Amino acid sequence: EYMGKIQKEKALIDNRICIGGVSGGITCARKADTLGKEVDLIEQSRIGGTCINQGCVPKKLLYTATMVWEDMEVGKEMGITVEKKELHWKEQKEKRDAY
């Protein structure tokens, strides 16, 4: 029975559970994996959390698109002409949501 207890404790040491699929939990899981550990990553929602999936990153994708649009306008003052400038909001939204 004592050996069974040792084996259970060793199994806990050899394997890792990382809670939260955001930056800390993902870093924990990746590090444990590089050390050859078995890893369970627990997340109640989508991996990446609110910032990656709904907040910061999707916002930055739309912000960057807006900056490119504005740069095209400034380009006119520098002799750069863009023949056809169109905004495809539905396509932008689909790309943002797919990120």
Side-chain angles (χ1 to χ4, degrees):
E1 185 165 320
Y2 181 73
M3 289 305 289
K5 182 178 181 184
I6 290 174
Q7 287 176 338
K8 286 180 186 175
E9 288 175 1
K10 184 175 182 335
L12 289 174
I13 292 169
D14 286 344
N15 300 308
R16 299 289 180 260
I17 297 175
C18 300
I19 299 174
V22 295
S23 57
I26 292 171
T27 301
C28 168
R30 285 185 176 156
K31 181 63 176 177
D33 182 62
T34 63
L35 297 172
K37 306 296 181 184
E38 298 239 354
V39 181
D40 291 315
L41 178 64
I42 300 170
E43 170 59 44
Q44 70 177 354
S45 188
R46 292 176 60 197
I47 298 294
T50 302
C51 183
I52 298 297
N53 296 308
Q54 298 166 338
C56 310
V57 174
K59 177 203 68 143
K60 288 177 184 173
L61 293 171
L62 295 177
Y63 175 80
T64 300
T66 301
M67 295 308 296
V68 169
W69 184 274
E70 288 181 0
D71 287 346
M72 287 189 286
E73 287 296 314
V74 172
K76 289 179 186 177
E77 298 170 13
M78 302 173 146
I80 300 170
T81 305
V82 177
E83 292 294 323
K84 188 175 181 182
K85 184 170 73 167
E86 296 178 334
L87 173 64
H88 300 279
W89 173 248
K90 183 179 177 190
E91 186 178 335
Q92 262 196 331
K93 184 179 181 316
E94 287 170 358
K95 289 181 185 294
R96 180 203 64 193
D97 292 346
Y99 180 80

